[in-house]
Amino acid sequence: MQGMKRLATGLLLAAWLPAAMAQTADVDALKQEGRKIAKQFLGTLKPELKKAMQAGGPVHAIEVCHKKAPEITARLSAQTGWQLKRTSLKVRNPHNAPDAWEKQVLKRFERLKAKGADPKTLEYGAVVEENGRRVFRYAKAIPTGKVCVVCHGEHVAAPIMKAIRAYYPEDAATGFRPGDIRGMFSFKKPL
């Protein structure tokens, strides 16, 4: 009897192990894809903001960010088949407020940073069920850079705050310092 139990357990493990390894490989491939999209997103938005800063300073950059970020999000979503979003525990635009999963991941990133992790390296990916469907969710932290504090820092100049309030009356995305976690990319892909 003992031999039969061992055989049954061995057969179950033999059947389960390749599937578990395949799922891990799939998650790794999906994370890699998410990383690539985040890099593409940032690589598209950053030059737009830099150009705007040079052309008209931070006030002009706020207008460009307000218009261009949603356009970039929509274009990359259409190109990749992923649902793209940027979110934070302190959002500028209330439409970007984090859902429960995103809040949990953002708090996890904050705990890891508090333990010494570099925000540039923080990412998380998982297969979850949403509305009865399997979805891969990917998150990558967005660290606050030195230039970011001009509009997101502890001491934002009055003309800049006025422009922020004009576009984002419910803004809560200030008070950051370089190295803080400004927010994260949050991407979804149906499986």
Side-chain angles (χ1 to χ4, degrees):
M1 190 61 145
Q2 196 71 314
M4 290 297 279
K5 284 183 181 178
R6 283 191 191 132
L7 179 61
T9 301
L11 288 172
L12 283 172
L13 267 175
W16 173 80
L17 192 57
M21 288 173 65
Q23 185 170 359
T24 299
D26 290 345
V27 167
D28 289 343
L30 288 164
K31 275 186 179 176
Q32 182 64 30
E33 196 176 332
R35 247 180 248 124
K36 183 179 169 187
I37 296 167
K39 188 175 181 179
Q40 191 176 1
F41 191 114
L42 205 52
T44 306
L45 182 59
K46 256 181 144 175
E48 292 286 343
L49 290 175
K50 187 176 181 179
K51 209 172 11 174
M53 289 283 279
Q54 290 169 346
V59 171
H60 182 58
I62 293 162
E63 178 185 349
V64 168
C65 193
H66 178 74
K67 291 178 181 175
K68 291 290 183 177
E71 289 173 10
I72 293 166
T73 301
R75 186 173 62 248
L76 285 176
S77 289
Q79 288 173 357
T80 63
W82 289 63
Q83 180 183 340
L84 308 182
K85 176 181 174 185
R86 290 175 306 148
T87 190
S88 177
L89 293 173
K90 294 176 15 175
V91 294
R92 178 142 285 169
N93 182 341
H95 296 295
N96 296 335
D99 63 22
W101 185 88
E102 291 164 333
K103 265 187 196 165
Q104 185 179 23
V105 174
L106 283 160
K107 288 177 181 177
R108 178 178 191 250
F109 286 171
E110 289 292 350
R111 285 192 305 273
L112 290 169
K113 181 186 174 289
K115 291 179 181 177
D118 180 354
K120 293 176 187 171
T121 66
L122 296 177
E123 68 174 348
Y124 181 72
V127 176
V128 299
E129 192 167 310
E130 291 184 356
N131 303 318
R133 301 178 83 171
R134 285 172 27 102
V135 175
F136 180 74
R137 297 204 62 176
Y138 174 77
K140 179 153 184 53
I142 302 171
T144 305
K146 288 180 184 174
V147 72
C148 302
V149 297
V150 173
C151 299
H152 292 283
E154 295 174 299
H155 307 288
V156 178
I160 298 169
M161 274 313 297
K162 184 178 177 185
I164 290 169
R165 294 281 183 233
Y167 288 105
Y168 308 102
E170 298 176 53
D171 174 59
T174 56
F176 293 97
R177 288 180 273 179
D180 285 348
I181 296 173
R182 165 65 193 93
M184 72 180 193
F185 291 108
S186 178
F187 305 159
K188 286 187 203 184
K189 183 175 187 173
L191 299 176

